Amino acid sequence: MNLIELVQGDITEQHVDVVVNAANSSLLGGGGVDGAIHRKGGPAILEACRKLRAGHYGRGLKTGQAVATTAGKLPARWVVHTVGPVWSATEDRSGLLADCYRNSMLAAAELGACSIAFPAISTGIYRWPVESAAKIALTTLAEEVPGITSVRLVLFDKKTYDVFSENAQDKK
Ligand code: AR6
């Protein structure tokens, strides 16, 4: 089982091999973490995303999938972009949220990365309730992926950090 580190902070400042972006299927940027990553990482990331769209990802990236690009000027080496599900009160999309975490770790391992940092995918603009998202993230990130030795969750605000911390305690 992976040891999962929780920190309150900004994912764009993380010195890890891979930072994960909570993107949308266009891969062409947006608000929240996505906006911050593109702003701080510079145009190289968008250029790489445009190339993906011109190639294999002509129809965009599907919810739950993950794909890597350069991290541009960020301290990380790569960005793995994943598309979280939009919260639905009528449909259980938990499997897709778990897929985001799992497929991002697999994409990172394929690059040869050892360390990876995640934001709380889907809990912002996509409105997933934080407690539910925390449970899914913590359970999925505990799954071993060969080569990945360091897993960090970077929670932007104190409230989200506290909810993740309480749920991490419950798992001990
Ligand atoms: N570092 C870490 N976490 C952050 C940062 C940051 N710099 N900025 C925001 N967060 P969101 P989503 C937190 O909305 O819900 C974009 O437009 C934020 O407080 O970024 O998956 C995409 O293009 C929240 O806890 O992602 C998509 O259209 C968490 O990151 C859509 O938003 C996720 O919030 C994706 O929505």
Side-chain angles (χ1 to χ4, degrees), residues 9-11 22-24 30-34 36 120 122-126 154 156-157:
D10 183 338
I11 199 148
N24 60 64
V33 187
D34 199 6
S122 287
T123 64
I125 291 162
Y126 286 174
V154 182
F156 204 43
D157 56 276

Side-chain angles (χ1 to χ4, degrees), residues 135-153:
K135 286 185 164 66
I136 294 164
L138 291 162
T139 303
T140 311
L141 292 178
E143 294 169 8
E144 298 273 355
V145 171
I148 303 295
T149 54
S150 163
V151 178
R152 187 180 299 168
L153 274 160

